[in-house]
Amino acid sequence: MQIKLVNNILKSFFCFLAVMLLLSGTNARAHGASRSLTEPHFFYQDTAGLARDTIEPRDTTEETFLETEINYNAVDSIIFSRTDSRVYLYGDARVTYGNIELTADYIEYIQDSNMVFARGVRDSTGKLVGKPVFKEGEDTYDARIIRYNFKTQKGFIRRVITQEQEGFLHSEVTKKHADNQFHFKQGKYTTCDKEHPDFYIAMTRGKVIPNKRIVAGPSYLVLEDIPLPVGIPFGFFPIQNRQTSGVVIPSFDTESELGFGLSDLGLYLALSDHMDLKVSGDIYSRGSWGANIRYRLEQRYKYSSTLRADYQREVLGTKGAPDYEATRKFKIDWQHRQAPKANPYSSFRANVNYSTTGYDKRHGQTMEERASSNKTSNISYSYNWPNSPFNFNSRLSLNQNSTNRTVNFTLPSASFSMSRQYPFRGIDDNGQTDWYENFQVSYSADMKNTLKTKDTLLFKETRYEDFENGFQHRIPMSLNFKLLKYFNLTPNVDYKGVLYPRYIERRWQPDYYDPQLDSTYGRVVEDTLQQFRYAQSLEPSISLSASPKIFGMFQFKNPDSKVRAIRHVITPSASINFRPSLGGMTDRYYDTYQYNAKGETRRYSYFDGQIYSPPSSPRKSGNLSLGLSNNLEMKVRSQTDTTDQLKKVSLLDNLSFNSGYNLFADSLNWSPVRFNGRTKLLENKVNLNFGGTLDPYALNDEGRTVNTSQLSATGKLARLTNFRVTMGVQLGSGGNGGASGGGQRQRGPTGQNGQRTTPTTRQQGQETTSPARGGNYDYFQVPWNLSLDYSFTYSKPAFKSRVTQTIGISGDISLTPKWDINFRTNYDIEKDKMGLTEINISRDLHCWRMTFNWVPVGFRRSYNFRIEVNSAMLDFLKLRKRRTFYDNF
């Protein structure tokens, strides 16, 4: 009974205290608090029988507009005002409602109207901090002042910054509507992510339709806060998340030969999420014009394909003048790549690069493209059967030479093969490999259809007879034996079969009448018969080879010697191959013909000059191959290592000699001796390569090689017919300065407050802090690379010799993290002439980029200056000034 009485007294006291606080209108302060508001709070009559409160509660059945609760918190403090139903939040305040989040250093929430007000505060230095950030879903708005109504979902914002796709929108006054559309005044649109952008398009007023476009009124361009006389009465900027079709804005261009013009004017079509099409053109005041198409198809994790076609009609000079020229050029470029994991068994690739003669010389993007005369195109498909040794490959290829205008076309080539198989392995499972288990067999078949013609005749005057085609398959079989530990004996049997679409017959015609010379004389007549013939051969052969290694070591006895040992590795190699005469197996594929009036004859094959050589020569053959390679190293004691560990230093990476002897030739049995060597000098900074050819036979008075040794003719062992030396030096800053060594300055870079900061070293695109050394000195390291190349070539096949010497220099240097300079040049010492020289300078201007390409000397001297916006959204904002090598004439 007493406990119940005490409970009733406590309940009555707390209810009375709550009513007094509510009626008094005093403020309540809480530190670091948080609250949730879903419905209004009011009091009800106590069950203890106290008098009913005079304040009428609201009707709880009334529907509330809030779909979820409003949460708010602050780090510093929260103040509740009961008189005007306001909540004041200080210090890193946050208010959330569903997917809406508002943060600022000061937030004021009005409960009755569901209005929120946010702004930043100034710190002790007067700097405005804690400015409002409003987030709604994925949209973020940085502002100076924000007013927002949770009920109407409308807001008023001052000095807002929001990101729209690749661009940023700044505005002084912004009104947000319930459908998330905006109206603004004094706006700026830019792709610069700075709070104070380097450039922007100033818009007097405008409207933002989310994920669609920004519509603006009168606008003009501002660069470094300087308004430029470039304006438009109205405009719009697409900001959609997906690809959209539209007009491609052209750029103004000028060339001395073509005149003034517009380039890259066209239409962009977003056909689907996986493909798009761009059609554009160029037009110039002197009659030149061009059209190009770019089609792109991409499926993520499957393939990507890009097709470009360009047609140019150029008019040079004045019509009627001697230098007038009108040309038509075109180029087709197709790149198709299949993703590596799209299909593990099949692959399709395309690399097509075809252009008419003179196109790359005029329209090449790089110096390599403009100077190159050879181009190759390939389309290939391959398939590997799973869990089997079989695979199939097919290819279309095109080799183009723009100098002599020849085209080599392969349409198509196909091959089917079986990898090496060991059919007898596993028959006797005794844990050892018997000699017959090394028997191996494989299979290969390929087919080709080729055409060699001029590019002006391709697809115009081409006939079937102009194609070279055929089919060939082979079945090689071999068995390997190990003899006396060092020798390998390998008998081989190779079956070869070739299908020819035609064959030839040669004969002597003694009474040929030449109408141009009006005379009769004898000549060799070659008849081509269009008839399929199959030729085959079975070629047995046997080879014996050995390649042991011989090691030699010389150790220094002096314990104080820096060099402790020198090791020499000699690898001699010898092999002999013999193939017996095939007798009548291949005789039917050969014949003889008379080639002069004396009745002298020569031997020929019915299949000479075709894409596949005849199956085999009926004669026996044998060759002896000899080789010798050397490797020289030494072990030295490190001067800096106190543990007396040895360091390996290579003196000669390789020095090899190779030659051969024909066992059955009637003369000139020995092959020329070829030697090659390579080594590294100066702690691997200098690469040295050399090589040459020595001919053991002498020359006659006409400069032809005869079957007389050079030793017996002149007393010398051999003739040096070719010798070459190449040397390359690679220098650079590297990780520890390398050969450059770096440097030092008395004044280093300064920070934002004028204080000295530690220098940074940029390596591989990153900046890492390097510690300061040397007291008051700051060290710095400028990333740079320098390559020096020297080439010497000596050639004397007969009596006349030829020497070629060239020096090449290339490198790059980054004066600052934003300045990059690279260059290359070469000099021909014999001709006393500079070769291709190119200097490229680029400057990262944060949201802009400047490039300058300069060819200062030579036939192709030219320059190209370009400054443009980095973002593709505003890629029409660019300036280009160039001079092509055509302007030199």
Side-chain angles (χ1 to χ4, degrees):
M1 187 66 182
Q2 292 179 350
I3 295 176
K4 184 176 181 181
L5 179 61
V6 172
N7 288 337
N8 290 334
I9 294 173
L10 290 175
K11 288 181 181 180
S12 301
F13 173 76
F14 284 118
C15 288
F16 175 76
L17 180 60
V19 171
M20 293 301 296
L21 289 174
L22 183 63
L23 295 177
S24 63
T26 57
N27 294 333
R29 174 182 293 266
H31 295 273
S34 63
R35 287 288 302 270
S36 297
L37 301 179
T38 53
E39 295 181 355
H41 296 273
F42 34 86
F43 300 93
Y44 300 92
Q45 183 177 3
D46 192 270
T47 55
L50 295 177
R52 187 176 175 215
D53 201 316
T54 58
I55 299 178
E56 293 294 334
R58 299 179 187 178
D59 187 4
T60 58
T61 61
E62 180 183 353
E63 259 186 50
T64 178
F65 75 94
L66 296 176
E67 299 178 359
T68 183
E69 65 180 9
I70 299 176
N71 297 316
Y72 54 86
N73 59 72
V75 173
D76 186 284
S77 59
I78 300 178
I79 298 177
F80 302 89
S81 177
R82 297 300 183 181
T83 57
D84 51 4
S85 300
R86 294 176 181 247
V87 180
Y88 303 91
L89 297 91
Y90 295 91
D92 196 13
R94 183 185 308 271
V95 176
T96 59
Y97 171 68
N99 66 339
I100 298 175
E101 180 183 82
L102 177 63
T103 59
D105 263 14
Y106 173 78
I107 297 179
E108 181 180 336
Y109 174 61
I110 306 174
Q111 296 180 346
D112 292 340
S113 59
N114 293 287
M115 179 74 72
V116 65
F117 169 80
R119 61 173 173 81
V121 298
R122 297 193 179 275
D123 59 10
S124 58
T125 63
K127 182 180 178 181
L128 188 64
V129 296
K131 291 181 289 187
V133 177
F134 183 86
K135 295 182 179 180
E136 185 173 9
E138 297 180 355
D139 299 328
T140 303
Y141 310 95
D142 297 334
R144 185 69 61 87
I145 297 175
I146 291 180
R147 297 181 185 274
Y148 184 77
N149 191 302
F150 288 109
K151 183 175 182 180
T152 62
Q153 297 186 4
K154 295 180 180 181
F156 179 83
I157 310 173
R158 284 189 176 273
R159 295 190 182 182
V160 66
I161 302 176
T162 180
Q163 183 173 0
E164 299 291 344
Q165 302 305 316
E166 296 183 22
F168 296 88
L169 179 63
H170 302 237
S171 67
E172 288 294 327
V173 180
T174 305
K175 183 179 180 181
K176 179 184 180 299
H177 302 281
D179 56 0
N180 285 331
Q181 295 188 13
F182 294 86
H183 280 87
F184 63 88
K185 290 183 179 181
Q186 302 178 20
K188 304 175 184 178
Y189 185 76
T190 180
T191 56
C192 182
D193 57 359
K194 292 183 179 179
E195 184 177 357
H196 188 77
D198 297 330
F199 82 100
Y200 55 88
I201 299 176
M203 300 174 288
T204 57
R205 64 187 62 193
K207 180 180 180 180
V208 178
I209 304 176
N211 297 325
K212 289 188 177 180
R213 66 184 66 90
I214 299 175
V215 183
S219 306
Y220 55 92
L221 182 63
V222 178
L223 183 61
E224 293 293 345
D225 293 332
I226 301 176
L228 301 181
V230 180
I232 54 176
F234 62 91
F236 70 93
F237 305 91
I239 55 173
Q240 297 187 6
N241 292 325
R242 58 184 180 85
Q243 299 183 104
T244 56
S245 303
V247 177
V248 179
I249 300 177
S251 60
F252 180 76
D253 193 14
T254 176
E255 289 192 24
S256 59
E257 290 288 337
L258 305 180
F260 300 98
L262 295 175
S263 62
D264 203 24
L265 170 64
L267 183 66
Y268 175 81
L269 301 175
L271 303 178
S272 70
D273 293 338
H274 304 290
M275 68 177 72
D276 58 10
L277 176 67
K278 177 184 176 182
V279 182
S280 60
D282 311 325
I283 185 170
Y284 292 89
S285 59
R286 296 186 179 180
S288 299
W289 60 274
N292 56 77
I293 298 174
R294 190 204 69 179
Y295 173 77
R296 184 176 59 181
L297 175 64
E298 183 173 353
Q299 183 72 35
R300 182 175 295 182
Y301 307 122
K302 290 186 177 181
Y303 56 83
S304 63
S305 183
T306 304
L307 174 65
R308 293 182 176 91
D310 188 19
Y311 177 85
Q312 297 289 334
R313 184 183 187 276
E314 294 182 348
V315 179
L316 305 178
T318 305
K319 191 172 185 179
D323 60 346
Y324 176 78
E325 182 183 5
T327 59
R328 292 178 173 86
K329 302 179 178 69
F330 72 90
K331 178 179 182 179
I332 297 177
D333 185 278
W334 178 32
Q335 303 291 330
H336 182 91
R337 294 290 181 271
Q338 179 179 307
K341 297 182 180 180
N343 192 323
Y345 304 114
S346 66
S347 174
F348 177 77
R349 289 180 173 271
N351 180 16
V352 177
N353 181 18
Y354 178 81
S355 63
T356 55
T357 302
Y359 179 92
D360 291 326
K361 184 178 179 181
R362 175 74 179 182
H363 303 281
Q365 299 297 320
T366 62
M367 286 298 298
E368 287 80 4
E369 291 182 2
R370 292 191 288 268
S372 176
S373 59
N374 294 291
K375 287 183 293 185
T376 302
S377 301
N378 290 288
I379 302 175
S380 62
Y381 172 78
S382 64
Y383 183 80
N384 297 321
W385 277 267
N387 303 320
S388 74
F390 301 104
N391 67 84
F392 172 79
N393 294 276
S394 62
R395 180 185 299 271
L396 300 176
S397 64
L398 176 66
N399 297 320
Q400 182 184 4
N401 189 308
S402 58
T403 303
N404 55 21
R405 309 193 69 169
T406 59
V407 173
N408 293 323
F409 202 9
T410 302
L411 183 69
S413 66
S415 64
F416 174 82
S417 64
M418 180 187 71
S419 60
R420 185 181 304 169
Q421 299 295 304
Y422 297 87
F424 299 122
R425 286 191 176 178
I427 295 178
D428 186 6
D429 192 10
N430 56 6
Q432 297 180 353
T433 301
D434 297 324
W435 64 270
Y436 59 86
E437 292 185 288
N438 289 327
F439 176 79
Q440 58 185 4
V441 60
S442 59
Y443 176 79
S444 65
D446 59 274
M447 176 191 68
K448 288 183 180 179
N449 183 37
T450 64
L451 172 66
K452 184 176 181 180
T453 183
K454 298 291 184 180
D455 57 0
T456 55
L457 303 178
L458 186 63
F459 306 124
K460 292 181 180 179
E461 301 181 12
T462 304
R463 303 171 303 171
Y464 171 75
E465 291 78 8
D466 298 330
F467 284 88
E468 295 288 339
N469 42 50
F471 170 80
Q472 171 185 267
H473 66 142
R474 302 182 63 178
I475 306 177
M477 297 171 284
S478 64
L479 184 63
N480 183 267
F481 297 93
K482 196 77 171 180
L483 300 178
L484 301 178
K485 189 178 179 181
Y486 298 106
F487 297 92
N488 292 311
L489 180 64
T490 307
N492 300 274
V493 177
D494 189 2
Y495 173 82
K496 180 180 179 181
V498 185
L499 179 64
Y500 296 100
R502 64 182 69 90
Y503 65 96
I504 62 173
E505 291 183 352
R506 294 173 183 170
R507 56 186 173 84
W508 175 256
Q509 184 179 1
D511 54 352
Y512 172 74
Y513 173 73
D514 191 341
Q516 295 181 352
L517 301 177
D518 192 20
S519 62
T520 302
Y521 55 87
R523 69 163 190 170
V524 176
V525 178
E526 182 177 285
D527 299 324
T528 302
L529 305 178
Q530 299 293 333
Q531 181 180 349
F532 285 98
R533 289 192 62 178
Y534 183 77
Q536 59 182 343
S537 66
L538 189 64
E539 302 178 6
S541 64
I542 188 170
S543 64
L544 180 66
S545 63
S547 181
K549 286 184 178 294
I550 303 174
F551 297 90
M553 179 76 74
F554 179 81
Q555 295 183 348
F556 292 85
K557 297 182 179 179
N558 185 3
D560 299 328
S561 175
K562 181 179 178 181
V563 180
R564 305 301 298 270
I566 296 178
R567 191 183 73 161
H568 185 197
V569 181
I570 303 175
T571 307
S573 62
S575 65
I576 184 171
N577 182 277
F578 172 74
R579 191 194 67 184
S581 175
L582 300 181
M585 182 178 294
T586 59
D587 284 344
R588 60 182 182 272
Y589 307 135
Y590 294 84
D591 202 351
T592 59
Y593 69 96
Q594 179 183 342
Y595 67 92
N596 58 22
K598 297 180 182 180
E600 297 177 342
T601 61
R602 289 175 179 170
R603 190 179 181 86
Y604 78 101
S605 172
Y606 296 126
F607 313 114
D608 283 343
Q610 299 207 41
I611 193 171
Y612 293 114
S613 61
S616 178
S617 172
R619 300 176 182 178
K620 63 181 178 180
S621 64
N623 292 281
L624 173 65
S625 299
L626 300 174
L628 180 67
S629 64
N630 298 268
N631 176 268
L632 196 63
E633 297 177 340
M634 70 176 180
K635 292 184 178 181
V636 298
R637 186 174 55 188
S638 177
Q639 295 180 349
T640 59
D641 196 342
T642 58
T643 61
D644 199 24
Q645 291 187 354
L646 299 180
K647 178 182 177 181
K648 184 185 295 184
V649 177
S650 177
L651 299 177
L652 194 62
D653 292 340
N654 180 53
L655 176 62
S656 61
F657 301 88
N658 294 277
S659 184
Y661 184 83
N662 192 329
L663 300 176
F664 299 103
D666 54 2
S667 62
L668 304 177
N669 301 79
W670 283 103
S671 301
V673 179
R674 294 178 174 84
F675 61 93
N676 294 278
R678 69 176 185 274
T679 186
K680 295 180 180 180
L681 307 174
L682 302 178
E683 297 183 356
N684 299 331
K685 290 185 175 63
V686 180
N687 294 319
L688 179 64
N689 293 272
F690 60 91
T693 304
L694 298 170
D695 196 331
Y697 293 101
L699 300 174
N700 60 12
D701 295 337
E702 298 177 355
R704 296 181 180 178
T705 306
V706 295
N707 193 29
T708 302
S709 67
Q710 182 74 3
L711 181 61
S712 61
T714 63
K716 299 179 180 179
L717 288 176
R719 292 183 299 110
L720 182 63
T721 60
N722 178 272
F723 180 73
R724 66 187 184 280
V725 176
T726 59
M727 183 171 59
V729 181
Q730 301 287 335
L731 303 175
S733 56
N736 56 359
S740 65
Q744 65 181 21
R745 286 180 179 172
Q746 292 184 353
R747 291 187 300 173
T750 57
Q752 294 181 354
N753 299 327
Q755 298 177 352
R756 191 68 47 80
T757 58
T758 304
T760 58
T761 299
R762 190 178 66 173
Q763 298 178 0
Q764 299 180 357
Q766 298 180 355
E767 293 187 359
T768 58
T769 303
S770 59
R773 300 170 295 173
N776 295 328
Y777 287 88
D778 285 336
Y779 288 76
F780 78 101
Q781 188 178 39
V782 176
W784 63 276
N785 291 284
L786 181 65
S787 298
L788 304 176
D789 299 302
Y790 172 76
S791 175
F792 173 86
T793 303
Y794 169 83
S795 177
K796 190 179 180 182
F799 299 123
K800 294 183 179 181
S801 63
R802 181 184 177 184
V803 176
T804 302
Q805 296 185 77
T806 58
I807 298 176
I809 302 175
S810 63
D812 61 84
I813 181 172
S814 298
L815 297 177
T816 69
K818 297 182 181 298
W819 275 101
D820 289 319
I821 302 174
N822 64 79
F823 59 90
R824 59 174 178 168
T825 184
N826 63 79
Y827 175 71
D828 193 321
I829 300 176
E830 297 300 320
K831 295 181 179 180
D832 191 18
K833 183 179 179 180
M834 292 292 296
L836 178 64
T837 302
E838 186 178 17
I839 300 174
N840 300 312
I841 303 174
S842 64
R843 174 67 162 90
D844 184 3
L845 301 172
H846 187 249
C847 45
W848 291 69
R849 185 167 187 83
M850 181 198 70
T851 58
F852 180 68
N853 310 107
W854 184 31
V855 181
V857 296
F859 169 74
R860 299 183 178 275
R861 63 182 184 274
S862 58
Y863 69 84
N864 186 358
F865 175 80
R866 190 181 184 96
I867 181 170
E868 58 187 346
V869 177
N870 288 331
S871 174
M873 179 76 69
L874 300 177
D875 60 353
F876 58 88
L877 293 177
K878 55 190 173 184
L879 175 65
R880 183 175 69 175
K881 179 64 177 178
R882 64 177 179 173
R883 177 187 175 93
T884 65
F885 70 92
Y886 277 96
D887 299 330
N888 301 326
F889 306 101

